[in-house]
Amino acid sequence: MRMLIGKSKVSSPALGFTLIELLVVLAIIALLAGLVGPTVLNQLGGAKTKTAKIQIKDLEMALEMYKLDVGAYPSSSEGLESLVQKPSNADGWNGPYLKSGVPKDPWKNDYYYVYPGTRAEIDIYSFGQDGTQGGDGENSDVENW
């Protein structure tokens, strides 16, 4: 049996990452976030507009069912609430025509309803994120015409 006497133990290199390596990884992550982030945010904004269009189509279908039962669309003053609560003069009303009440637009505002409409037989619209007429992108109006 052989014994080593007087030999010092050689220390192994330290395990882990250097500060430079960590900074390079953080720089790469920041670069990727800068490239991907705006695309993801644009998709989220477009989703609200698409949701508003789908809700408007659902409201149109509910109003068509109302018209088949009652014989006419609700007046502007009766509004979309007539889809969930029977108006006093609505003979033949067989609602509610919406399962969970009248929805708000994706920006938490009420939809506008006009009958007779100025652009179509009935007008249903939302003024978008800013709540004012006109605009671009998420601030643009969403209508049924």
Side-chain angles (χ1 to χ4, degrees):
M1 186 154 122
R2 221 164 145 197
M3 289 176 57
L4 294 174
I5 301 176
K7 293 256 182 178
S8 67
K9 193 175 186 181
V10 178
S11 64
S12 63
L15 299 176
F17 299 105
T18 65
L19 181 60
I20 299 292
E21 290 170 330
L22 291 174
L23 289 175
V24 168
V25 169
L26 287 174
I28 291 170
I29 291 172
L31 182 67
L32 288 174
L35 294 173
V36 174
T39 304
V40 170
L41 292 176
N42 285 340
Q43 290 298 324
L44 289 176
K48 286 189 175 186
T49 301
K50 289 177 186 174
T51 300
K53 288 179 182 179
I54 291 169
Q55 286 179 330
I56 287 173
K57 288 290 181 197
D58 289 345
L59 290 170
E60 277 184 303
M61 289 191 301
L63 285 164
E64 287 293 330
M65 294 299 296
Y66 178 97
K67 181 181 177 186
L68 287 173
D69 290 343
V70 177
Y73 290 112
S75 67
S76 296
S77 61
E78 292 170 334
L80 296 173
E81 278 298 316
S82 60
L83 296 173
V84 291
Q85 293 180 345
K86 182 181 186 235
S88 59
N89 62 347
D91 295 330
W93 190 87
N94 195 23
Y97 299 93
L98 298 171
K99 289 183 182 179
S100 57
V102 180
K104 293 206 178 272
D105 71 13
W107 302 279
K108 307 295 183 217
N109 299 314
D110 291 327
Y111 283 102
Y112 294 91
Y113 168 74
V114 178
Y115 175 74
T118 57
R119 306 268 180 121
E121 188 173 8
I122 54 172
D123 292 350
I124 307 170
Y125 54 96
S126 166
F127 285 140
Q129 183 174 352
D130 63 357
T132 59
Q133 191 171 6
D136 295 321
E138 283 299 296
N139 294 331
S140 63
D141 302 343
V142 184
E143 308 106 350
N144 69 322
W145 58 86

